[in-house]
Amino acid sequence: MLEIEKIMAHARDMEASDIHLTEEERVMYRVDGSLIEPQHIASSSVSELICSIIPQEMEEQFQRFIEDLDFAYQAESGERYRVNIFHQRGRKAATIRLLNDYIPSLSQLGLPTILEELICEPRGLILVTGPTGSGKSTTLAAMIDKINEERAEHILTIEDPVEYIYEKKKALIHQREVGRDVKSFAQALRSGLREDPDVILVGEMRDYETIQAALTAAETGHLVLSTLHTSGAAQTIDRMVDAAPPEIQSQMRTQIAGVLKGIITQCLIKRAAGNGRIVATEILIGTDAILNMIRENKCYQLSTIMQSGGAKGMHTLNGDLVRLVSERMIHREDAFRYSSNIKELEQLLF
């Protein structure tokens, strides 16, 4: 077994989410959201550790400082990892994200049951948002696998890199990796419309071209799932609109309102008792009232509708944080750390 794989196995035993390798520094793990320096882990050469997992076809471009590397790595034991390798101060460094060795169900992740209803939609756009490391990829994988279990449909995933590998169940699944199977998300989306998909997973909507292609795919009768690095439903809509040229932003709002089925915002918070983290969510459902607000550029009012939309499966992030505090699942101070509206949370908790 490679030395790097021994470190990976130890990190799993420690229930870490990430491994940090920096040349001339000690190995670090992220456990329950905090960085720790594990005992009994010392490598004579972090540079050699990093080089041992670089794919052969990427070695030259990395050595020539052309670009950072993003790829998936599968250990001999079968576990998969998402790897980013980069230079800092002229030295090698890497961040390795540990992926689950199985795809958990939505209920195992502690996500609201409304998500199971959302993925029954035959067409439209579903977005999973949140900060880096909040579990968005795992949530999307659970949603895709739920479809895989229940529907004989064609699922096309576009990822950078491919993270979870799906077993054959009812669905036909094709997984395309940006940089290996296709040049870009937008190009894969455009060609994907000619590949007879029912469901399309876009790993990330990074730019206007990709956002527009995803909206077009949803408009033409496909169920599209994707992610954005935003901290709430209103910010998600604004981010998509702001990505468009000013002269077509009104049209963009109309497009979004025509296809949006739901937005799930999530964050992972350390449990008050014991190890591990628990998910807090904000759920927006594309009801008529919500979609009208989007068309009329009144996203600042979405929170009010979500607060009163419990019967439809909606709630705000602050509402879920209050629930978790009242159930003593998380500490009060952690709720404030993750809230995007601290003044409102103070009123709700006191």
Side-chain angles (χ1 to χ4, degrees):
M1 180 187 291
L2 294 173
E3 185 179 355
I4 185 65
E5 294 193 4
K6 293 178 182 177
I7 291 174
M8 290 171 167
H10 183 258
R12 285 191 181 275
D13 291 341
M14 295 284 291
E15 298 184 353
S17 61
D18 299 88
I19 303 167
H20 289 274
L21 303 173
T22 308
E23 199 171 354
E24 300 183 16
E25 300 282 350
R26 292 185 63 84
V27 177
M28 302 287 285
Y29 295 167
R30 186 175 294 278
V31 178
D32 293 342
S34 299
L35 285 178
I36 67 165
E37 186 177 303
Q39 296 180 346
H40 314 303
I41 292 291
S43 174
S44 57
S45 175
V46 169
S47 177
E48 290 179 6
L49 285 178
I50 293 172
C51 290
S52 70
I53 57 173
I54 296 177
Q56 187 174 357
E57 65 272 17
M58 294 183 174
E59 286 180 357
E60 182 181 354
Q61 67 191 61
F62 183 68
Q63 295 298 340
R64 291 169 56 199
F65 288 78
I66 294 176
E67 58 186 33
D68 300 343
L69 303 183
D70 283 297
F71 57 91
Y73 178 83
Q74 183 164 325
E76 287 183 10
S77 55
E79 286 103 348
R80 289 177 62 80
Y81 301 83
R82 189 179 73 205
V83 182
N84 176 268
I85 299 179
F86 55 100
H87 288 98
Q88 64 90 34
R89 294 172 56 200
R91 300 169 184 167
K92 300 181 185 70
T95 300
I96 302 172
R97 170 66 49 83
L98 283 68
L99 303 176
N100 289 321
D101 54 3
Y102 70 99
I103 300 175
S105 68
L106 293 169
S107 60
Q108 286 173 326
L109 293 173
L111 291 162
T113 56
I114 188 66
L115 269 67
E116 297 188 11
E117 297 179 31
L118 272 179
I119 57 174
C120 290
E121 294 283 353
R123 65 190 65 83
L125 178 66
I126 300 172
L127 299 173
V128 179
T129 78
T132 300
S134 60
K136 299 184 296 297
S137 297
T138 304
T139 295
L140 283 174
M143 296 170 79
I144 290 293
D145 206 46
K146 180 73 172 174
I147 298 172
N148 186 21
E149 289 175 352
E150 297 180 349
R151 284 144 56 183
E153 296 185 343
H154 181 199
I155 300 172
L156 177 65
T157 79
I158 308 162
E159 304 169 74
D160 182 20
V162 169
E163 297 187 13
Y164 290 95
I165 305 296
Y166 300 92
E167 294 180 11
K168 172 65 178 173
K169 295 177 183 176
K170 286 190 175 182
L172 169 66
I173 303 180
H174 287 136
Q175 295 183 259
R176 306 191 73 189
E177 184 167 307
V178 174
R180 176 173 294 179
D181 302 312
V182 68
K183 288 184 178 180
S184 67
F185 283 108
Q187 183 189 51
L189 273 164
R190 287 193 296 269
S191 62
L193 298 183
R194 299 188 292 272
E195 293 157 13
D196 187 36
D198 299 289
V199 180
I200 303 173
L201 167 65
V202 185
E204 186 181 345
M205 296 200 299
R206 296 177 177 171
D207 51 40
Y208 169 67
E209 189 180 14
T210 305
I211 293 171
Q212 187 59 61
L215 289 172
T216 299
E219 286 176 327
T220 52
H222 306 87
L223 180 61
V224 179
L225 292 81
S226 191
T227 71
L228 282 167
H229 289 96
T230 50
S231 59
Q235 188 190 44
T236 299
I237 302 300
D238 290 339
R239 176 76 59 83
M240 293 173 69
V241 172
D242 290 345
E247 63 272 17
I248 63 169
Q249 289 185 355
S250 178
Q251 176 188 335
M252 174 72 91
R253 291 188 192 93
T254 301
Q255 271 189 293
I256 295 170
V259 298
L260 185 66
K261 298 301 179 182
I263 300 175
I264 303 101
T265 300
Q266 62 182 63
C267 55
L268 293 173
I269 306 175
K270 189 173 181 179
R271 291 180 180 273
N275 298 326
R277 292 182 291 175
I278 191 169
V279 65
T281 58
E282 176 169 283
I283 306 291
L284 176 142
I285 304 297
T287 63
D288 289 344
I290 290 287
L291 300 179
N292 283 334
M293 289 297 173
I294 294 172
R295 286 190 193 95
E296 295 171 7
N297 193 19
K298 295 180 179 178
C299 289
Y300 58 89
Q301 295 184 12
L302 293 180
S303 178
T304 302
I305 301 177
M306 283 188 285
Q307 287 173 5
S308 59
K312 301 285 187 180
M314 290 190 273
H315 60 255
T316 63
L317 179 59
N318 272 351
D320 208 30
L321 291 172
V322 169
R323 175 185 66 85
L324 292 170
V325 170
S326 64
E327 293 175 0
R328 299 184 178 180
M329 300 296 290
I330 64 173
H331 290 298
R332 185 184 296 260
E333 55 268 28
D334 285 331
F336 283 103
R337 282 184 59 202
Y338 288 91
S339 174
S340 55
N341 189 336
I342 291 176
K343 288 185 177 180
E344 180 188 74
L345 184 60
E346 286 175 344
Q347 293 173 351
L348 292 170
L349 282 175
F350 293 101

